[in-house]
């Protein structure tokens, strides 16, 4: 933060998503623009798009106490608070199994500063799950040990409300946790009555229902996303298709985590961004190995065995994300908490052979480090004269300096642990204090190395992000500002740069957007998975989507002007000015929002066109769904033989002028939607490049109008001849119903707690509490 002038900036997703998302959403909520986000991709359901990232986070809502300019400066302090809260939450859960509070604090530190937590500094919103999960388990234990009513429901609500994606994995884990303890004949779990078991489910259901104010609109939004429907199947459900992934999983328990997108130990494991991190500072796997080697039965040993097995079987690993085939290890924070519990349990026992466990940990660490770092790698190349040249190198890692630094940190950590263990049996208090200091020391060293290394991979924060992004575009002055709605394009620049400026854009890095956007882009040859990044090959999309300005950052990427031809990389663009660290180009064939067509083609005809021609065809004729042809015929003529039309640049210019001649005289957005005015020479279908979504309602001249889904995912409305006022209003689908369910559920929860508390008198029942030494 000192180096970055008070900001905390990292690299990759943190810089281009977490920071602009926080400020944009902060400003949207404070200004009341929380229904439809015009600055998220081509437009998005605000609630549905941001529940995953921040809307359920209490840390985000703390920013509401501060002005907009303060928000980027809060990212670092909020992270400090998050790590502290993770430590506290971990300690609360672990305290039940510790003889002293100091030991529980040590466990909380191990949990909060594990490899998973440090890895996911990259993903700011993952830390909410890390914080609230221990409370979820604590609430389960409270119910099973003391039959405390209502607490489990509240913690269920918190976990679901904070982040629905992680909640799915947490539910799976809690079920496994309960079953393992029940089958392990844990006294408190085994003795539950049928009535108490039923009430536990009642609390679970009420807890989920209480979160419906965010959960219900989220379900409406993500059900459109094609990324959620990709189940594991075939051999890929049983074995990972990348053999290096097995070593990546194994090594993440013995070494500090690799950087996301910069896999080092196993560069071809295809596990970038998978959140593979589970290393415990100072202790590494020694406590876990000690627990597994111990002959004493304990439920956490069984649970760890089950979890490790699930980590290595693809379909079982995917159970924590509704069996989606995309590989992620984003449930490892739960595994880490159990690893910490096993470590603390072993520290309290006298029958554990810590020396053997540390030797095993050291041996495995050395074996992995030396095998990868010194393995001969032979490459053979052919020369021009037919000879073969053989080259021998050593090491399979991708970044040797970084690799050996991680190996050194892991070994130094174990060496420090060996030194500290000299006091284990003689001076327990000194040992505990030294262990706590040791964890803090190693956590600082390895996390500082990790974050510093990550910053070397980032965009130039001092030459680009701080001066030109975090200023919210105050140095940008365009003739359209405040007068005309238009979108921006960024050529080979930082992702989400216009989002920093809170301006509409066609370039967006965002995982959760309307399904219509996900459907549209692939039809024109643009991949749409986690980002919208149309290339210059589909230049017609810029005019089609009302994109007027293109920014070419001076300090980033290649130039928009091709050095070989000295021409712009897309036709019809001319240099306008240099502002805010970018050369700005203007689209000479810009089409304002809200225009109409004279002819139509069917979706079937559109799909039959070559992919490269489709973006150009969108400017020639309106694409209507096959079932809507009869409606289109009322105002449009059929464009016969669209495949034989001209798709040259000159034809593109003519089509742009034709569409621009029919545009609305005004188009303004507001907190509830948008208003447009148009003068039509005859009844027309007016097209808006706003993603089609179920929450939109339209009226023309005050009368309700039907919204037609056209051009593969956008909206159009019928207007009569003459001057008309078009009004589109957006209501977040599921928000009102979700709010009603939430209020009713909290009322039911209050009644449930009152009735059951009065009958059971749990606060007077002290006999159920187990000793602190319980396993």
């Amino acid at each position: 933060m000192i180096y970055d002038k008070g900001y905390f900036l990292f690299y990759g997703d943190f810089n281009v998503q977490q920071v602009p998302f926080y400020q944009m959403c902060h400003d949207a909520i404070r200004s009341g623009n929380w229904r439809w986000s015009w600055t998220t991709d081509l437009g998005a359901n605000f609630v549905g798009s941001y529940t995953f990232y921040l809307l359920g986070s209490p840390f985000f809502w703390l920013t509401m106490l501060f002005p907009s300019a303060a928000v980027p400066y809060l990212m670092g302090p909020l992270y400090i608070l998050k790590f502290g809260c993770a430590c506290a939450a971990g300690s609360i859960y672990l305290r039940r199994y510790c003889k002293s509070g100091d030991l529980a604090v040590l466990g909380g530190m191990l949990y909060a500063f594990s490899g998973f937590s440090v890895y996911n500094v990259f993903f700011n919103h993952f830390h909410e799950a890390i914080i609230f999960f221990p409370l979820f388990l604590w609430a389960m234990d409270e119910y099973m040990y003391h039959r405390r009513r209502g607490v489990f429901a509240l913690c269920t609500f918190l976990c679901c409300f904070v982040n629905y994606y992680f909640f799915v994995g947490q539910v799976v884990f809690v079920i496994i946790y309960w079953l393992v303890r029940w089958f392990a004949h844990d006294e408190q779990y085994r003795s539950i009555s049928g009535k108490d078991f039923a009430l536990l489910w009642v609390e679970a259901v009420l807890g989920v229902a209480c979160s419906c104010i965010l959960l219900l609109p989220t379900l409406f939004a993500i059900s459109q996303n094609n990324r959620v429907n990709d189940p594991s199947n075939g051999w890929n459900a049983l074995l990972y298709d990348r053999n290096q992934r097995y070593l990546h999983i194994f090594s993440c328990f013995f070494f500090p985590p690799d950087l996301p997108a910069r896999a080092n130990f196993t560069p071809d494991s295809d596990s970038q961004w998978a959140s593979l991190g589970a290393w415990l500072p100072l202790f590494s796997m020694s406590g876990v190995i000690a627990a597994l080697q111990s002959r004493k039965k304990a439920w956490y040993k069984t649970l760890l065995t089950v979890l490790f097995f699930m980590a290595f079987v693809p379909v079982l690993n995917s159970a924590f994300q509704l069996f989606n085939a995309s590989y992620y290890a984003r449930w490892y924070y739960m595994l880490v908490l159990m690893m910490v519990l096993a470590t603390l349990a072993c520290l309290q026992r006298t029958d554990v052979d810590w020396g053997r466990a540390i030797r095993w940990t050291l041996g495995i660490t050395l074996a992995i480090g030396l095998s990868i770092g010194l393995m001969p790698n032979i490459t053979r190349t052919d020369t021009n004269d037919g000879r073969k040249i053989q080259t021998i190198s050593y090491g399979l890692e991708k970044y040797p300096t970084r690799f050996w630094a991680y190996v050194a940190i892991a070994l130094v950590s174990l060496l420090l642990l060996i030194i500290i263990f000299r006091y284990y049996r003689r001076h327990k208090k000194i040992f505990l204090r030294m262990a706590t200091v040791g964890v803090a020391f190693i956590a600082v060293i390895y996390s500082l190395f990790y974050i510093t290394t990550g910053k070397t991979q980032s965009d130039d924060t001092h030459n680009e992000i701080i001066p030109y992004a975090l200023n919210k575009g105050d140095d940008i002055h365009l003739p359209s500002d405040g007068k005309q709605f238009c979108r921006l394009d960024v050529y080979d620049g930082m992702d989400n740069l216009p989002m920093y400026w809170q301006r509409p854009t066609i370039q967006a890095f965002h995982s959760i957007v309307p399904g219509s956007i996900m459907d549209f882009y692939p039809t024109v040859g643009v991949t749409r998975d986690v980002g919208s990044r149309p290339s210059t090959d589909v230049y017609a999309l810029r005019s089609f989507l009302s994109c007027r300005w293109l920014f070419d950052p001076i300090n980033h990427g290649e130039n928009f002007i091709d050095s070989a031809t000295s021409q712009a990389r897309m036709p019809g663009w001319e240099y306008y000015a240099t502002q805010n660290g970018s050369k700005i180009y203007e689209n000479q064939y810009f089409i304002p929002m809200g225009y109409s067509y004279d002819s139509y083609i069917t979706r079937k005809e559109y799909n039959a066109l070559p992919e490269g021609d489709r973006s150009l065809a969108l400017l020639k004729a309106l694409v209507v769904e096959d079932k809507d042809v009869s409606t289109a015929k009322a105002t449009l003529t059929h464009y016969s033989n669209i495949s034989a039309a001209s798709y040259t640049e000159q034809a593109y210019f003519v089509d742009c002028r034709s569409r621009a001649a029919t545009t609305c005289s005004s188009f303004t957005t507001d907190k509830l939607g948008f208003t447009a005015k148009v003068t039509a020479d005859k009844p027309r279908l007016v097209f808006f490049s706003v993603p089609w979504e179920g929450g939109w309602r339209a009226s023309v001249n005050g009368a309700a109008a039907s919204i037609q889904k056209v051009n593969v995912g956008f909206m159009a409305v019928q207007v009569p001849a003459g001057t008309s006022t078009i009004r589109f209003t957006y209501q977040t689908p599921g928000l009102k119903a979700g709010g009603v369910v939430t209020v009713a559920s909290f009322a039911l929860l209050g009644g449930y707690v009152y009735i059951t508390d009065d009958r059971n008198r749990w606060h007077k029942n002290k006999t159920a509490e187990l000793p602190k030494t319980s396993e």
Side-chain angles (χ1 to χ4, degrees), residues 233-251:
N233 62 88
W235 277 105
N236 288 334
L238 300 177
L239 297 170
Y240 292 116
D241 55 353
R242 301 295 182 107
N243 56 7
Q244 287 188 23
R245 188 172 295 162
Y246 288 99
L247 183 57
H248 195 171
I249 295 170
F250 190 66
S251 64

mmCIF file of all heavy atoms in Angstrom, residues 233-251:
data_model
loop_
_atom_site.group_PDB
_atom_site.id
_atom_site.type_symbol
_atom_site.label_atom_id
_atom_site.label_comp_id
_atom_site.label_asym_id
_atom_site.label_seq_id
_atom_site.Cartn_x
_atom_site.Cartn_y
_atom_site.Cartn_z
ATOM 1 N N ASN A 233 -18.339 -36.274 -16.908
ATOM 2 C CA ASN A 233 -18.841 -37.504 -17.514
ATOM 3 C C ASN A 233 -17.693 -38.312 -18.086
ATOM 4 O O ASN A 233 -16.588 -37.800 -18.294
ATOM 5 C CB ASN A 233 -19.866 -37.192 -18.609
ATOM 6 C CG ASN A 233 -19.279 -36.384 -19.744
ATOM 7 O OD1 ASN A 233 -18.735 -36.933 -20.695
ATOM 8 N ND2 ASN A 233 -19.357 -35.055 -19.642
ATOM 9 N N GLY A 234 -17.959 -39.574 -18.355
ATOM 10 C CA GLY A 234 -16.968 -40.447 -18.973
ATOM 11 C C GLY A 234 -15.726 -40.628 -18.116
ATOM 12 O O GLY A 234 -15.751 -40.522 -16.889
ATOM 13 N N TRP A 235 -14.615 -40.899 -18.798
ATOM 14 C CA TRP A 235 -13.353 -41.087 -18.082
ATOM 15 C C TRP A 235 -12.913 -39.839 -17.347
ATOM 16 O O TRP A 235 -12.218 -39.903 -16.326
ATOM 17 C CB TRP A 235 -12.255 -41.524 -19.064
ATOM 18 C CG TRP A 235 -12.274 -42.989 -19.340
ATOM 19 C CD1 TRP A 235 -12.723 -43.625 -20.464
ATOM 20 C CD2 TRP A 235 -11.837 -44.033 -18.451
ATOM 21 N NE1 TRP A 235 -12.599 -44.983 -20.329
ATOM 22 C CE2 TRP A 235 -12.047 -45.268 -19.111
ATOM 23 C CE3 TRP A 235 -11.302 -44.047 -17.172
ATOM 24 C CZ2 TRP A 235 -11.725 -46.490 -18.532
ATOM 25 C CZ3 TRP A 235 -10.983 -45.262 -16.592
ATOM 26 C CH2 TRP A 235 -11.197 -46.463 -17.258
ATOM 27 N N ASN A 236 -13.312 -38.679 -17.872
ATOM 28 C CA ASN A 236 -12.922 -37.433 -17.211
ATOM 29 C C ASN A 236 -13.573 -37.269 -15.842
ATOM 30 O O ASN A 236 -13.164 -36.414 -15.059
ATOM 31 C CB ASN A 236 -13.298 -36.238 -18.091
ATOM 32 C CG ASN A 236 -12.397 -36.120 -19.301
ATOM 33 O OD1 ASN A 236 -11.260 -36.578 -19.277
ATOM 34 N ND2 ASN A 236 -12.899 -35.529 -20.371
ATOM 35 N N ALA A 237 -14.587 -38.078 -15.549
ATOM 36 C CA ALA A 237 -15.185 -38.050 -14.218
ATOM 37 C C ALA A 237 -14.374 -38.876 -13.228
ATOM 38 O O ALA A 237 -14.493 -38.664 -12.016
ATOM 39 C CB ALA A 237 -16.618 -38.580 -14.278
ATOM 40 N N LEU A 238 -13.555 -39.781 -13.749
ATOM 41 C CA LEU A 238 -12.773 -40.668 -12.882
ATOM 42 C C LEU A 238 -11.308 -40.289 -12.806
ATOM 43 O O LEU A 238 -10.673 -40.465 -11.763
ATOM 44 C CB LEU A 238 -12.896 -42.116 -13.378
ATOM 45 C CG LEU A 238 -14.320 -42.711 -13.402
ATOM 46 C CD1 LEU A 238 -14.282 -44.113 -13.978
ATOM 47 C CD2 LEU A 238 -14.913 -42.713 -12.003
ATOM 48 N N LEU A 239 -10.762 -39.793 -13.931
ATOM 49 C CA LEU A 239 -9.328 -39.459 -13.980
ATOM 50 C C LEU A 239 -9.151 -38.081 -14.591
ATOM 51 O O LEU A 239 -9.831 -37.733 -15.572
ATOM 52 C CB LEU A 239 -8.559 -40.490 -14.814
ATOM 53 C CG LEU A 239 -8.554 -41.936 -14.307
ATOM 54 C CD1 LEU A 239 -7.957 -42.850 -15.368
ATOM 55 C CD2 LEU A 239 -7.779 -42.049 -13.013
ATOM 56 N N TYR A 240 -8.233 -37.311 -14.031
ATOM 57 C CA TYR A 240 -7.920 -36.016 -14.621
ATOM 58 C C TYR A 240 -7.212 -36.219 -15.950
ATOM 59 O O TYR A 240 -6.358 -37.110 -16.088
ATOM 60 C CB TYR A 240 -7.040 -35.193 -13.678
ATOM 61 C CG TYR A 240 -7.753 -34.754 -12.430
ATOM 62 C CD1 TYR A 240 -7.351 -35.202 -11.175
ATOM 63 C CD2 TYR A 240 -8.844 -33.890 -12.495
ATOM 64 C CE1 TYR A 240 -8.008 -34.793 -10.013
ATOM 65 C CE2 TYR A 240 -9.508 -33.481 -11.347
ATOM 66 C CZ TYR A 240 -9.082 -33.940 -10.108
ATOM 67 O OH TYR A 240 -9.739 -33.533 -8.976
ATOM 68 N N ASP A 241 -7.563 -35.400 -16.921
ATOM 69 C CA ASP A 241 -6.966 -35.562 -18.249
ATOM 70 C C ASP A 241 -5.545 -35.016 -18.319
ATOM 71 O O ASP A 241 -4.849 -35.245 -19.295
ATOM 72 C CB ASP A 241 -7.834 -34.881 -19.310
ATOM 73 C CG ASP A 241 -8.091 -33.414 -19.006
ATOM 74 O OD1 ASP A 241 -7.705 -32.961 -17.908
ATOM 75 O OD2 ASP A 241 -8.679 -32.719 -19.858
ATOM 76 N N ARG A 242 -5.111 -34.311 -17.289
ATOM 77 C CA ARG A 242 -3.729 -33.811 -17.224
ATOM 78 C C ARG A 242 -3.008 -34.518 -16.084
ATOM 79 O O ARG A 242 -3.350 -34.316 -14.914
ATOM 80 C CB ARG A 242 -3.710 -32.296 -17.001
ATOM 81 C CG ARG A 242 -4.415 -31.473 -18.075
ATOM 82 C CD ARG A 242 -3.715 -31.603 -19.412
ATOM 83 N NE ARG A 242 -4.329 -30.797 -20.443
ATOM 84 C CZ ARG A 242 -3.801 -29.686 -20.932
ATOM 85 N NH1 ARG A 242 -2.629 -29.258 -20.462
ATOM 86 N NH2 ARG A 242 -4.404 -29.005 -21.874
ATOM 87 N N ASN A 243 -2.018 -35.349 -16.416
ATOM 88 C CA ASN A 243 -1.359 -36.110 -15.344
ATOM 89 C C ASN A 243 -0.590 -35.212 -14.377
ATOM 90 O O ASN A 243 -0.420 -35.552 -13.206
ATOM 91 C CB ASN A 243 -0.439 -37.187 -15.931
ATOM 92 C CG ASN A 243 0.599 -36.614 -16.895
ATOM 93 O OD1 ASN A 243 0.722 -35.401 -17.024
ATOM 94 N ND2 ASN A 243 1.323 -37.484 -17.584
ATOM 95 N N GLN A 244 -0.153 -34.052 -14.846
ATOM 96 C CA GLN A 244 0.562 -33.142 -13.945
ATOM 97 C C GLN A 244 -0.344 -32.603 -12.834
ATOM 98 O O GLN A 244 0.142 -32.171 -11.791
ATOM 99 C CB GLN A 244 1.151 -31.969 -14.729
ATOM 100 C CG GLN A 244 2.348 -32.322 -15.586
ATOM 101 C CD GLN A 244 2.991 -31.087 -16.183
ATOM 102 O OE1 GLN A 244 2.846 -29.980 -15.668
ATOM 103 N NE2 GLN A 244 3.703 -31.258 -17.278
ATOM 104 N N ARG A 245 -1.653 -32.649 -13.060
ATOM 105 C CA ARG A 245 -2.568 -32.098 -12.063
ATOM 106 C C ARG A 245 -2.490 -32.873 -10.752
ATOM 107 O O ARG A 245 -2.648 -32.298 -9.670
ATOM 108 C CB ARG A 245 -4.001 -32.087 -12.595
ATOM 109 C CG ARG A 245 -4.971 -31.356 -11.679
ATOM 110 C CD ARG A 245 -6.326 -31.206 -12.321
ATOM 111 N NE ARG A 245 -6.247 -30.349 -13.495
ATOM 112 C CZ ARG A 245 -7.166 -30.306 -14.451
ATOM 113 N NH1 ARG A 245 -8.226 -31.096 -14.378
ATOM 114 N NH2 ARG A 245 -7.032 -29.496 -15.481
ATOM 115 N N TYR A 246 -2.243 -34.177 -10.846
ATOM 116 C CA TYR A 246 -2.128 -34.966 -9.616
ATOM 117 C C TYR A 246 -0.965 -34.459 -8.752
ATOM 118 O O TYR A 246 -1.091 -34.330 -7.530
ATOM 119 C CB TYR A 246 -1.926 -36.446 -9.956
ATOM 120 C CG TYR A 246 -3.171 -37.101 -10.507
ATOM 121 C CD1 TYR A 246 -3.342 -37.269 -11.879
ATOM 122 C CD2 TYR A 246 -4.183 -37.534 -9.657
ATOM 123 C CE1 TYR A 246 -4.475 -37.865 -12.396
ATOM 124 C CE2 TYR A 246 -5.336 -38.139 -10.163
ATOM 125 C CZ TYR A 246 -5.478 -38.294 -11.526
ATOM 126 O OH TYR A 246 -6.613 -38.873 -12.021
ATOM 127 N N LEU A 247 0.150 -34.149 -9.403
ATOM 128 C CA LEU A 247 1.291 -33.635 -8.651
ATOM 129 C C LEU A 247 1.021 -32.222 -8.148
ATOM 130 O O LEU A 247 1.450 -31.852 -7.054
ATOM 131 C CB LEU A 247 2.552 -33.655 -9.519
ATOM 132 C CG LEU A 247 3.850 -33.210 -8.815
ATOM 133 C CD1 LEU A 247 4.119 -34.069 -7.579
ATOM 134 C CD2 LEU A 247 5.024 -33.280 -9.775
ATOM 135 N N HIS A 248 0.292 -31.460 -8.940
ATOM 136 C CA HIS A 248 -0.061 -30.100 -8.514
ATOM 137 C C HIS A 248 -0.906 -30.149 -7.236
ATOM 138 O O HIS A 248 -0.683 -29.391 -6.285
ATOM 139 C CB HIS A 248 -0.819 -29.388 -9.630
ATOM 140 C CG HIS A 248 -0.913 -27.907 -9.448
ATOM 141 N ND1 HIS A 248 -1.389 -27.059 -10.411
ATOM 142 C CD2 HIS A 248 -0.601 -27.106 -8.391
ATOM 143 C CE1 HIS A 248 -1.366 -25.813 -9.972
ATOM 144 N NE2 HIS A 248 -0.898 -25.818 -8.744
ATOM 145 N N ILE A 249 -1.882 -31.057 -7.225
ATOM 146 C CA ILE A 249 -2.725 -31.204 -6.037
ATOM 147 C C ILE A 249 -1.879 -31.627 -4.845
ATOM 148 O O ILE A 249 -1.986 -31.062 -3.743
ATOM 149 C CB ILE A 249 -3.843 -32.236 -6.298
ATOM 150 C CG1 ILE A 249 -4.799 -31.722 -7.382
ATOM 151 C CG2 ILE A 249 -4.615 -32.530 -5.009
ATOM 152 C CD1 ILE A 249 -5.782 -32.763 -7.881
ATOM 153 N N PHE A 250 -1.037 -32.621 -5.052
ATOM 154 C CA PHE A 250 -0.224 -33.157 -3.961
ATOM 155 C C PHE A 250 0.747 -32.109 -3.426
ATOM 156 O O PHE A 250 0.904 -31.929 -2.213
ATOM 157 C CB PHE A 250 0.533 -34.394 -4.458
ATOM 158 C CG PHE A 250 1.212 -35.170 -3.374
ATOM 159 C CD1 PHE A 250 0.481 -35.819 -2.389
ATOM 160 C CD2 PHE A 250 2.595 -35.251 -3.327
ATOM 161 C CE1 PHE A 250 1.111 -36.540 -1.380
ATOM 162 C CE2 PHE A 250 3.232 -35.964 -2.327
ATOM 163 C CZ PHE A 250 2.484 -36.609 -1.348
ATOM 164 N N SER A 251 1.393 -31.394 -4.339
ATOM 165 C CA SER A 251 2.422 -30.440 -3.916
ATOM 166 C C SER A 251 1.834 -29.214 -3.220
ATOM 167 O O SER A 251 2.524 -28.550 -2.445
ATOM 168 C CB SER A 251 3.257 -29.991 -5.121
ATOM 169 O OG SER A 251 2.469 -29.283 -6.057
#
